[in-house]
Amino acid sequence: MGNTCDLIIAGGGVMASSIAYNLLKDGYTGRIVLFEQDPVYEYASTPRSAGGIRQIFSTELNIRMSQYGLQIFKKFAEDMAINGEPAEIDFKQRGYLFLANERILTGMQAQIALQQRLGVNVEVRTVEETLALIPELNVSDLVGSVFSPEDGYLDPYSVMQGYIKQAKHLGAEYIHEQVAAFLRDVTGTIAGVRLATGETWHAKVVVNACGAWSGDLSKTMGVDLPVVPLRRQIFHFDLAKPLKNPLPLTVDVSGVYFRHEGPKIIAGLSNTVPYEYNFQWEKPFFENEIWPVLAKRCPNFETLKLERGWAGLYDFNLVDQNGIIGGYSDIPGYYVATGFSGHGLQHAPAAGKALSELIRLGHYETLDVRALSPERFKTGQYILEEGIV
Ligand SMILES: Cc1cc2nc3c(=O)[nH]c(=O)nc-3n(C[C@H](O)[C@H](O)[C@H](O)COP(=O)(O)OP(=O)(O)OC[C@H]3O[C@@H](n4cnc5c(N)ncnc54)[C@H](O)[C@@H]3O)c2cc1C
């Protein structure tokens, strides 16, 4: 017979834990069990993320999801406190800064107008105004920048732990085992999971929140979910000559991004690599692709000292690089929250809230995320987002 509960979540990262937390906070009374294969989250994407929180997206839905997340993160420490212990996430609202040449600025005009219409505090800054933010910049090729001062960056591991602790506090159970397969009954309805141990667990509702692993896990019941692991690297370095001001999360015209991490700096760049579970970071990639850009952009970076790096996986949506949230009409009880392609941390609060509503009520109330349903891969109604970094 195996074990039974009401709702199973495969995965125990920020997405899974936000879903469990939101369900329980919103009044769900069933027994929720989360299965997490990695008890110390060594390879989970969340702790390996850059922690960037931005409202600078080109589609209304992504902007609204970011706005929702921003409000949550601003009050996270107090709202997620347990027994008076604040859930600190080190949120630095130092802004997001896209450095712009003529082509980039022209290309961003429509999205800036949309962001402003939706109430985002974002504006074009002149070269002089950009220099006021980062005085050391080489601006010879820039016409200005796009700046959203309320955005910024935070500690992703602490956000994940905040959700895990609250979910547990409200009654969710975490079991450190690997899900080997999803199970369906003869009618096609979701029935539960089989673990790598061979043990089975049965529930009427099963959520796949396995991030970069979610596509492969979906295959175990013959469902094509277009999510693959895509390696992204981050490099951590020190400067002999510190910068005058704390950095916004700054995105160079080349795509190289950088921000402060304490007194030091981290930087990254999205590149073309095979889809694989690869956690190697490569110093030559930094030396050949990132350092030259940084050194040209700012003299303080010329003599930087690379201290370490790491690699993590995007839950990369091969079709339209946006979150996939919702259920399938032909698999009652089965839901997914994955595919965020580099913006899943900041959208975890909204995704968790949305799935809580869909599972409990059968519809969305706070944010209508129907456009992110996995059914869009059948209809071809994709979400075209320009702001994928
Ligand atoms: C280098 C890098 C930089 C990023 N920067 C940003 C950023 O600036 N802003 C932003 O918003 N997002 C960013 N992201 C994306 C963000 O980290 C992810 O979208 C988000 O963390 C996904 O959360 P998750 O819970 O779905 O995945 P994860 O944190 O990976 O959690 C999924 C969990 O599922 C578990 N699991 C997998 N398979 C199984 C199984 N079969 N059984 C049981 N457990 C299983 C895994 O062990 C893992 O712990 C970045 C990602 C990377 C790699």
Side-chain angles (χ1 to χ4, degrees):
M1 271 301 290
N3 308 281
T4 58
C5 61
D6 297 296
L7 191 151
I8 289 171
I9 304 181
V14 75
M15 199 60 71
S17 302
S18 169
I19 296 163
Y21 162 75
N22 276 286
L23 277 162
L24 293 165
K25 181 165 173 283
D26 292 345
Y28 184 81
T29 53
R31 180 182 177 200
I32 299 180
V33 177
L34 296 92
F35 292 99
E36 168 55 56
Q37 66 184 6
D38 182 356
V40 294
Y41 294 94
E42 182 177 2
Y43 296 109
S45 303
T46 307
R48 290 170 179 256
S49 131
I53 305 300
R54 67 180 153 108
Q55 300 162 91
I56 301 188
F57 282 94
S58 70
T59 55
E60 177 164 345
L61 186 47
N62 280 334
I63 296 168
R64 289 199 187 281
M65 289 180 76
S66 287
Q67 288 177 308
Y68 181 86
L70 178 63
Q71 296 315 316
I72 299 288
F73 293 130
K74 274 160 70 172
K75 293 169 56 227
F76 199 90
E78 307 90 88
D79 290 352
M80 302 296 277
I82 295 179
N83 299 330
E85 181 82 26
E88 299 294 350
I89 55 170
D90 198 24
F91 187 19
K92 308 261 190 264
Q93 286 186 276
R94 295 173 176 169
Y96 243 82
L97 181 72
F98 282 80
L99 303 180
N101 54 26
E102 197 67 57
R103 180 185 56 79
I104 289 174
L105 199 56
T106 307
M108 289 183 79
Q109 288 300 341
Q111 58 167 286
I112 294 167
L114 174 64
Q115 289 150 12
Q116 289 174 337
R117 183 169 67 73
L118 296 175
V120 178
N121 180 0
V122 58
E123 59 185 26
V124 175
R125 296 267 163 122
T126 63
V127 168
E128 291 69 32
E129 289 165 339
T130 307
L131 280 170
L133 294 167
I134 312 178
E136 300 87 350
L137 280 184
N138 171 1
V139 293
S140 57
D141 59 331
L142 304 182
V143 297
S145 61
V146 178
F147 187 52
S148 55
E150 287 173 59
D151 292 344
Y153 41 92
L154 44 68
D155 174 18
Y157 183 77
S158 298
V159 173
M160 184 179 77
Q161 284 299 338
Y163 276 120
I164 292 172
K165 285 181 185 158
Q166 269 289 350
K168 285 183 179 170
H169 185 67
L170 295 172
E173 298 165 53
Y174 284 67
I175 296 180
H176 291 131
E177 296 290 353
Q178 184 180 46
V179 174
F182 292 123
L183 307 173
R184 293 166 83 174
D185 67 18
V186 285
T187 67
T189 301
I190 198 78
V193 295
R194 189 178 67 249
L195 304 181
T197 58
E199 204 182 348
T200 56
W201 278 76
H202 298 280
K204 287 209 165 83
V205 179
V206 175
V207 182
N208 181 352
C210 282
W213 294 262
S214 58
D216 277 341
L217 195 53
S218 184
K219 285 187 197 140
T220 63
M221 60 171 176
V223 174
D224 181 30
L225 178 64
V227 177
V228 293
L230 176 62
R231 180 179 60 151
R232 291 287 177 245
Q233 301 178 64
I234 294 187
F235 303 89
H236 185 269
F237 52 87
D238 201 2
L239 300 179
K241 188 170 178 222
L243 298 168
K244 287 199 182 93
N245 299 338
L247 285 169
L249 199 151
T250 307
V251 185
D252 183 65
V253 294
S254 60
V256 169
Y257 66 85
F258 50 95
R259 68 160 172 88
H260 267 107
E261 171 78 12
K264 311 209 173 167
I265 313 278
I266 62 169
L269 171 68
S270 295
N271 59 336
T272 307
V273 283
Y275 303 128
E276 56 188 7
Y277 297 98
N278 180 350
F279 295 93
Q280 296 299 315
W281 68 281
E282 290 164 356
K283 204 172 164 189
F285 177 62
F286 180 79
E287 291 169 340
N288 299 330
E289 308 292 334
I290 297 184
W291 178 77
V293 173
L294 292 172
K296 198 167 154 207
R297 182 58 67 205
C298 173
N300 303 51
F301 291 155
E302 273 173 34
T303 53
L304 63 81
K305 183 165 171 287
L306 182 63
E307 294 187 330
R308 64 189 180 105
W310 65 86
L313 303 173
Y314 273 13
D315 44 330
F316 190 71
N317 166 350
L318 285 166
V319 178
D320 63 6
Q321 292 80 57
N322 276 295
I324 308 168
I325 305 174
Y328 293 77
S329 54
D330 55 345
I331 318 176
Y334 177 61
Y335 299 88
V336 299
T338 183
F340 289 86
S341 311
H343 51 275
L345 171 70
Q346 60 203 293
H347 285 182
K353 184 72 178 172
L355 261 198
S356 161
E357 291 175 352
L358 187 64
I359 291 169
R360 286 180 304 107
L361 312 170
H363 61 269
Y364 298 117
E365 290 192 335
T366 306
L367 272 174
D368 183 354
V369 302
R370 276 177 297 174
L372 295 178
S373 160
E375 301 282 49
R376 74 183 186 272
F377 304 119
K378 294 180 195 158
T379 62
Q381 288 173 308
Y382 305 135
I383 310 279
L384 300 175
E385 168 59 61
E386 292 159 23
I388 303 298
V389 175

